[in-house]
Amino acid sequence: MLAIAILAAGKGTRMKSSLPKVLQELAGLSLIERVLKTCEGLKPDRTIVIIGHESNKVKSKINHLSNVEFVRQIPQKGTGHAIQQLIPTLDQFKGELLILNGDVPLLTTTTIKKLVANHYKTNADVSILSARMNDPKGYGRIFSDNNGKVSKIIEDRDCSEIEKKNKLTNAGVYCFSWQKLKQILPSLSNQNEQQEIYLTDAIEKLAKAVHLEASSADETTGINDKQQLSTCEQLLQNKLINFWMREGVQFIKPLTCTISETCKFGTDVVIEPETHIRGRTIIGDNCTIGPNSFIQDSTIGKNTCIFYSVVRDSVIGKATNIGPYSHIRPGSNINNECKIGNFVEVKNSILGKGTKANHLSYLGDATIGEKVNIGAGTITANFDGKNKNKTKIGNYSSTGSNSVLIAPVEIGKNATVGAGSTITEEVPNNSLAISRAKQIIKENWSQEKKNPTNL
Ligand code: UD1
Ligand code: MG
């Protein structure tokens, strides 16, 4: 039997953030979600998350996951104290307890599987995942003999200057025999610099403690502050972007781009420099995105080009051109072969196939048919001060430059709105609507009114 306990109750003081540490995000996923994802592949019999600081926030982030149990640790008096809280819950449990720190998010399932396998093989009371770090500052140091037998772990802040030179660090991942750990848990004390009950003090109380070195020290990076968060973000970005490059995506300047774990890309996609693709975005085959673009939670069809633009929570069709400097806001659905040009903002609107809005427009809460031409400077005036109202434009219609369509309003099919018009009433199919003051010419007006010597 294998139970997993994830330590996620701490405040994360060094993070200096109002967000609990385990809810900080890396490539779009919180630290706790990452650790839980790694655990899925281990097929544990039980998974327990220990929560405490802002426990409701942490719980609600992961509550939807089935088979996760929660145990509260209030107040938080250290990692050993956290595990002491499991004694009632695991009273009847017989087997191994795998403990993971909630702030070590880059671990792979393979590494943990190796630790568990080594634990069974060596028949140890506890197996600890270790790493040899060039800069071990901040990590607990593992003291072991050449056969991998561990005598003790000393926290960085409790180490002497000589002990600090030891580069073998504790990754914060342990596989314990629960029967053995349960017996010694109540005897852990808080005689250390922080006056906390340390889980690491359990090691020297057990007869057989062994360690297994992780193949990559990067994987065991713990996150205690924003600098470490940033280091891990960079490691993860490299990993994700390298993965997609191997899948046929071309990143012109990968180090200037960021993507989320949940993004998906087709083949022959080109990502130009300074481009950021976030959330549950899907980019179809042969798209070119960027330079300087930001796309979040959107689906982009094949052969589409997005150039110097922002797209959020929207669906863009195939062979559509967006940009430069377009802003596609949430709820937009722009069909195939459309063209959205410079300084055009689209919000919560549907644009039919082949429709064009090339310059300087705002299209909000609009349903626009196929092959419509939106003239430069067309504005849907959707807000009356209280409500957002709808504009409808039928297939093959066009609006002249500087048209204001005051919603709610409907323009029929194949209709034309004259340039400079303010439209407040329905425009029937096939008609022309012009609403602007007639031009008046007063000939020789300048000579009569003005003294030419003042010109
Ligand atoms: C811990 C280890 C250290 C190891 C490092 C690896 C201890 C005493 N030290 O140090 O040896 O090298 O991790 O990253 O374990 N937590 C609780 N309740 C508490 C305190 C902490 O649930 O009362 C949780 C935190 O939310 C965090 C994890 O335990 O997810 C580790 O706590 P943290 O304070 O980050 O320990 P480190 O100083 O990093
Ligand atoms: Mg830590």
Side-chain angles (χ1 to χ4, degrees):
M1 293 278 269
L2 180 71
I4 295 182
I6 301 172
L7 297 169
K11 183 173 179 213
T13 313
R14 290 165 279 181
M15 197 56 82
K16 300 206 169 90
S17 170
S18 57
L19 194 65
K21 178 162 67 173
V22 293
L23 294 189
Q24 304 282 337
E25 289 192 353
L26 282 179
L29 275 187
S30 65
L31 304 188
I32 186 71
E33 286 172 291
R34 288 192 170 279
V35 176
L36 280 164
K37 216 171 143 222
T38 312
C39 292
E40 273 169 22
L42 300 165
K43 307 214 167 23
D45 299 289
R46 293 176 69 177
T47 303
I48 305 164
V49 179
I50 303 169
I51 51 176
H53 175 71
E54 297 265 30
S55 57
N56 289 338
K57 264 194 196 168
V58 178
K59 193 174 173 188
S60 65
K61 186 81 182 177
I62 50 180
N63 219 5
H64 61 281
L65 299 169
S66 54
N67 303 328
V68 174
E69 302 166 51
F70 295 92
V71 165
R72 281 198 158 78
Q73 180 203 12
I74 295 170
Q76 296 87 45
K77 294 197 229 160
T79 49
H81 179 251
I83 297 301
Q84 286 174 343
Q85 312 312 305
L86 297 180
I87 296 172
T89 320
L90 292 180
D91 186 39
Q92 300 300 318
F93 178 76
K94 287 189 177 58
E96 310 307 305
L97 178 67
L98 178 70
I99 300 176
L100 300 161
N101 280 359
D103 64 348
V104 183
L106 303 185
L107 282 168
T108 59
T109 310
T110 314
T111 299
I112 302 175
K113 274 186 178 165
K114 279 187 194 160
L115 180 78
V116 176
N118 190 63
H119 177 77
Y120 286 124
K121 200 176 94 192
T122 54
N123 202 18
D125 297 333
V126 58
S127 306
I128 307 145
L129 186 69
S130 62
R132 226 163 264 282
M133 297 218 171
N134 291 332
D135 179 13
K137 196 167 178 288
Y139 292 88
R141 306 298 204 283
I142 295 181
F143 293 85
S144 100
D145 65 17
N146 291 339
N147 300 321
K149 208 156 174 276
V150 176
S151 55
K152 60 185 171 185
I153 298 179
I154 307 182
E155 288 309 294
D156 183 64
R157 56 178 89 216
D158 299 309
C159 279
S160 67
E161 283 312 310
I162 293 169
E163 286 166 337
K164 275 189 181 164
K165 292 206 163 68
N166 177 1
K167 293 190 168 179
L168 190 66
T169 60
N170 168 25
V173 181
Y174 324 78
C175 189
F176 281 98
S177 144
W178 172 244
Q179 291 305 105
K180 298 275 171 61
L181 178 62
K182 193 166 78 169
Q183 282 162 23
I184 54 142
L185 269 179
S187 69
L188 296 179
S189 83
N190 65 352
Q191 299 304 299
N192 51 57
E193 208 258 347
Q194 290 203 103
Q195 298 197 319
E196 284 189 354
I197 300 173
Y198 289 163
L199 177 62
T200 45
D201 286 348
I203 306 305
E204 60 194 275
K205 293 178 186 284
L206 292 168
K208 188 168 182 191
V210 298
H211 77 97
L212 182 78
E213 207 176 311
S215 45
S216 141
D218 281 350
E219 250 190 63
T220 69
T221 311
I223 297 184
N224 295 321
D225 58 30
K226 294 263 166 69
Q227 207 181 347
Q228 286 165 327
L229 191 65
S230 168
T231 306
C232 282
E233 179 76 44
Q234 204 49 62
L235 288 168
L236 205 53
Q237 287 299 334
N238 289 345
K239 193 174 155 189
L240 287 173
I241 290 177
N242 285 340
F243 169 81
W244 284 111
M245 289 201 281
R246 287 195 299 273
E247 292 294 304
V249 179
Q250 185 184 5
F251 281 82
I252 303 289
K253 223 173 168 191
L255 290 178
T256 67
C257 297
T258 59
I259 63 175
S260 296
E261 182 91 37
T262 41
C263 293
K264 290 197 163 55
F265 300 82
T267 50
D268 290 320
V269 168
V270 178
I271 307 292
E272 296 275 0
E274 306 286 353
T275 292
H276 307 281
I277 319 261
R278 304 276 171 86
R280 298 185 182 277
T281 293
I282 300 172
I283 311 270
D285 296 345
N286 295 309
C287 286
T288 298
I289 316 288
N292 282 75
S293 295
F294 182 93
I295 303 185
Q296 177 134 27
D297 294 315
S298 296
T299 301
I300 317 293
K302 291 178 183 176
N303 302 314
T304 282
C305 176
I306 299 177
F307 186 54
Y308 281 91
S309 293
V310 173
V311 179
R312 287 177 194 267
D313 297 290
S314 291
V315 177
I316 314 285
K318 297 176 199 161
T320 281
N321 281 303
I322 311 270
Y325 312 113
S326 310
H327 187 185
I328 314 299
R329 291 173 50 202
S332 298
N333 190 329
I334 296 172
N335 215 291
N336 302 342
E337 294 160 40
C338 286
K339 170 83 184 87
I340 309 296
N342 32 224
F343 308 107
V344 175
E345 176 179 344
V346 181
K347 188 221 65 172
N348 192 33
S349 293
I350 299 169
L351 273 66
K353 186 177 171 191
T355 283
K356 293 185 171 127
N358 273 322
H359 337 262
L360 305 160
S361 279
Y362 171 64
L363 304 171
D365 304 303
T367 302
I368 302 172
E370 293 182 5
K371 296 216 166 167
V372 171
N373 191 51
I374 302 290
T378 297
I379 304 290
T380 55
N382 59 335
F383 188 49
D384 59 12
K386 221 173 167 190
N387 300 309
K388 297 280 169 71
N389 299 303
K390 293 254 174 209
T391 300
K392 276 191 168 177
I393 305 178
N395 296 345
Y396 312 111
S397 291
S398 60
T399 64
S401 298
N402 210 26
S403 306
V404 180
L405 314 177
I406 300 186
V409 72
E410 189 165 342
I411 293 166
K413 290 182 186 165
N414 198 29
T416 303
V417 171
S421 296
T422 299
I423 301 296
T424 53
E425 283 165 29
E426 187 182 335
V427 178
N429 295 345
N430 305 312
S431 60
L432 166 69
I434 307 181
S435 93
R436 62 183 184 226
K438 240 190 151 94
Q439 185 170 322
I440 300 168
I441 302 287
K442 294 190 177 181
E443 287 185 0
N444 300 322
W445 183 84
S446 305
Q447 274 107 327
E448 282 169 24
K449 284 278 180 197
K450 294 178 187 163
N451 182 351
T453 55
N454 288 342
L455 284 175

